């Protein structure tokens, strides 16, 4: 898919890529909750969840701080957190596809991830909200406490998918209209390193390498290709 996109951009630019996407989606670029029904890190909407987390400054359950790289440190990494613990869901009889649903993922710092452990949402959500008001909404968590119970897990997923779709439409609409943050700001706000849990996806290393390569190429293009013209030049997140 990436190779096809590169070919389209080379041939017809960004407008051509948008036209191709419109044809693929039947002319409708709006995202709905069903788009977030995928599971696992291979889902095509998994990266969008990560981007929304960074761009909109979703907040950490433990510290309450926005999860933006310039606040967390250079190349600040995040960990994938299962909102409803895997062990608890498996124990309740939910299948793997539901346990690893994208709508059951959020991103947290390592400290928060370890502190929560296998606690149930009905236990730690109220505590996090009391300590940091608004933190649940920043992570697109439904505010109905009845949805935080294990027996309401499917309803929780459905509600959160709709919230994620609304946020995604807002962000992508800003990109298309040109009212989103500048590209250079986006590079500073999106971390390039992402910690993975024990169920490591073998594609993660390849994706990280690709991100690093594309970022370097973009930065050097932004400075007019001077990278190869200055001895000892190195690309950076500040100035190329």
């Amino acid at each position: 898919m990436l190779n096809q996109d590169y070919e389209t951009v080379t041939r017809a630019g960004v407008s051509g890529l948008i036209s191709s996407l419109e044809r693929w989606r039947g002319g409708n670029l709006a995202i709905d909750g069903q788009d977030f029904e995928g599971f696992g890190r291979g889902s095509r909407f998994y990266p969008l969840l990560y981007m929304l987390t960074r761009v909109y400054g979703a907040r950490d359950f433990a510290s309450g701080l926005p999860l933006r790289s310039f606040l967390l440190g250079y190349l600040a990494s995040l960990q994938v957190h299962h909102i409803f613990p895997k062990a608890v869901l498996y124990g309740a009889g939910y299948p793997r596809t539901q346990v690893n649903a994208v709508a059951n993922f959020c991103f947290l710092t390592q400290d928060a991830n370890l502190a929560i452990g296998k606690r149930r949402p009905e236990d730690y959500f109220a505590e996090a909200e009391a300590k940091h008001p608004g933190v649940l909404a920043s992570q697109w968590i439904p505010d109905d406490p009845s949805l935080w119970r294990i027996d309401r897990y499917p309803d929780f997923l459905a509600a959160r998918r709709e919230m994620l779709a609304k946020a995604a439409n807002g962000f992508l609409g800003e990109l298309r209209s040109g009212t989103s943050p500048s590209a250079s700001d986006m590079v500073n706000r999106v971390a390039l390193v992402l910690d993975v849990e024990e169920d490591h996806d073998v594609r993660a290393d390849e994706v990280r390498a690709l991100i690093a390569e594309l970022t370097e190429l973009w930065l050097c293009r932004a400075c007019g290709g001077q990278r190869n013209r200055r001895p000892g030049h190195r690309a950076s997140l500040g100035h190329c």
Side-chain angles (χ1 to χ4, degrees):
M1 294 299 292
L2 283 174
N3 286 334
Q4 292 177 17
D5 289 345
Y6 290 149
E7 181 182 352
T8 301
V9 169
T10 301
R11 184 181 67 255
V14 174
S15 60
L17 188 60
I18 292 176
S19 296
S20 176
L21 186 59
E22 287 176 330
R23 289 194 298 272
W24 178 61
R25 292 183 61 94
N28 180 19
L29 291 184
I31 292 173
D32 59 34
Q34 292 182 349
D35 288 313
F36 282 96
E37 285 185 345
F39 67 93
R41 297 170 193 170
S43 168
R44 79 174 62 239
F45 280 82
Y46 171 82
L48 182 56
L49 172 62
Y50 178 71
M51 183 173 289
L52 291 175
T53 298
R54 288 299 204 184
V55 170
Y56 282 137
R59 296 162 57 193
D60 188 54
F61 288 154
S63 67
L65 292 175
L67 299 174
R68 291 174 176 163
S69 56
F70 67 87
L71 290 178
L72 297 174
Y74 179 66
L75 295 184
S77 60
L78 299 180
Q79 291 188 340
V80 181
H81 171 70
H82 282 71
I83 298 171
F84 282 72
K86 291 188 291 185
V88 174
L89 290 174
Y90 282 133
Y94 289 102
R96 178 175 175 271
T97 53
Q98 281 190 302
V99 172
N100 293 300
V102 171
N104 191 35
F105 292 161
C106 72
F107 296 95
L108 299 176
T109 60
Q110 182 179 15
D111 288 344
N113 202 17
L114 292 174
I116 293 172
K118 297 180 180 179
R119 297 178 63 190
R120 301 182 178 213
E122 58 190 295
D123 295 331
Y124 73 86
F125 273 176
E127 179 181 305
E129 184 66 21
K131 188 175 181 180
H132 307 292
V135 71
L136 295 183
S138 77
Q139 289 273 11
W140 306 282
I141 301 295
D143 59 5
D144 182 358
S146 68
L147 297 180
W148 304 347
R149 303 195 312 264
I150 297 299
D151 63 311
R152 296 291 306 279
Y153 177 60
D155 297 324
F156 171 87
L157 292 179
R160 189 164 190 254
R161 285 195 298 263
E162 293 301 322
M163 297 175 72
L164 291 172
K166 182 178 180 180
N169 283 321
F171 169 63
L172 296 176
E174 291 175 354
L175 282 181
R176 190 169 190 182
S177 66
T179 58
S180 64
S182 66
S184 59
D185 187 37
M186 288 290 292
V187 170
N188 286 326
R189 291 168 66 174
V190 178
L192 306 180
V193 176
L194 181 62
D195 286 348
V196 294
E197 297 174 317
E198 66 278 1
D199 54 340
H200 179 65
D201 188 333
V202 294
R203 293 170 296 182
D205 293 333
E206 297 176 355
V207 171
R208 278 195 291 268
L210 177 60
I211 291 174
E213 180 181 354
L214 291 176
T215 301
E216 181 178 357
L217 290 172
W218 181 88
L219 288 169
C220 290
R221 184 176 181 181
C223 74
Q226 299 299 315
R227 180 174 183 269
N228 296 323
R229 303 179 188 177
R230 282 184 278 164
H233 172 78
R234 293 181 63 189
S236 69
L237 286 179
H239 297 282
C240 189

